[in-house]
């Protein structure tokens, strides 16, 4: 269970307001305030939503009642839920001020098969990020370019591992 001090510290790592956390976790700012003041402990679903909101931004809660930035060498996204998490992760990171994105040897061949609505939403919100510089390096011959905000480049087949 996360503590009030951990919650305040985690927000501090990201320079988030209570409203920022509330939006990211889909809870009310009043709930955040009450947890931080120790008025009540969050229910399991609320705690899970808070932990997930921070995890998207590489903040994790440690067993010793601490928090830290966790940088994984490889982040794994799988199935349709993972694909949605990947798009949300990209948007959250890029819209928070780091408007440079590079994807290497990533094929978008299956991107439209998951949910066209999700892709439309993603394209729309990404196109609104000021100064976005997104480039994707894809396998030579891949002509599926579903993300309108990306500039695509081909990787010659002799350099591809797939």
């Amino acid at each position: 269970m996360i503590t009030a001090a951990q919650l305040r510290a985690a927000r501090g790592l990201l320079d988030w307001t209570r409203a920022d956390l509330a939006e990211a976790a889909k809870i009310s700012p009043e709930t955040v305030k009450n947890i931080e003041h120790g008025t009540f402990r969050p229910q399991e679903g609320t705690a899970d939503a808070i932990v997930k909101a921070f995890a998207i931004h590489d903040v994790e809660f440690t067993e010793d009642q601490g928090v830290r930035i966790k940088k994984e060498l490889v982040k794994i996204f799988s199935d349709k839920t993972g694909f949605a998490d990947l798009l949300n992760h990209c948007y959250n990171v890029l819209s928070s001020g780091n408007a440079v994105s590079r994807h290497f040897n990533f094929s978008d061949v299956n991107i439209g098969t998951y949910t066209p609505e999700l892709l439309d939403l993603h394209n729309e919100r990404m196109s609104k990020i000021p100064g976005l510089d997104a480039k994707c390096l894809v396998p030579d011959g891949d002509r599926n370019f579903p993300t309108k905000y990306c500039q695509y480049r081909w990787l010659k087949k002799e350099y591809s591992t797939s």
Side-chain angles (χ1 to χ4, degrees):
M1 184 61 73
I2 57 176
T3 66
Q6 283 178 298
L7 192 54
R8 290 190 302 270
R11 282 196 311 106
L13 283 173
L14 297 178
D15 196 25
W16 273 6
T17 65
R18 288 182 180 145
D20 293 333
L21 173 56
E23 182 180 333
K26 296 182 181 22
I27 59 176
S28 74
E30 188 70 18
T31 298
V32 176
K33 182 181 100 174
N34 288 333
I35 295 169
E36 288 186 352
H37 286 172
T39 305
F40 65 80
R41 296 184 70 80
Q43 294 180 353
E44 187 176 334
T46 301
D48 289 345
I50 290 169
V51 169
K52 185 176 180 179
F54 282 114
I56 289 171
H57 296 279
D58 297 322
V59 173
E60 70 177 350
F61 296 90
T62 63
E63 290 182 18
D64 58 353
Q65 296 189 26
V67 294
R68 67 180 176 198
I69 300 288
K70 181 181 179 184
K71 294 292 181 187
E72 298 174 344
L73 293 177
V74 176
K75 189 169 267 198
I76 299 173
F77 298 99
S78 60
D79 66 39
K80 292 179 183 182
T81 303
F83 180 69
D85 290 344
L86 170 65
L87 295 182
N88 288 328
H89 175 78
C90 290
Y91 175 74
N92 290 332
V93 169
L94 294 169
S95 66
S96 68
N98 180 13
V100 175
S101 173
R102 302 293 184 261
H103 302 278
F104 300 99
N105 206 20
F106 177 78
S107 177
D108 286 339
V109 71
N110 293 320
I111 200 169
T113 63
Y114 289 111
T115 54
E117 301 82 25
L118 177 62
L119 182 57
D120 291 344
L121 169 68
H122 183 67
N123 275 320
E124 180 181 330
R125 66 185 180 175
M126 293 295 282
S127 68
K128 294 177 182 174
I129 297 175
L132 178 62
D133 179 12
K135 294 188 175 59
C136 295
L137 185 63
V138 298
D140 191 6
D142 183 347
R143 294 186 178 275
N144 189 357
F145 306 139
T147 52
K148 308 299 182 226
Y149 59 90
C150 273
Q151 296 177 14
Y152 288 88
R153 303 290 188 264
W154 283 340
L155 176 67
K156 291 187 177 201
K157 287 183 181 178
E158 62 260 26
Y159 300 113
S160 178
T161 59
S162 53

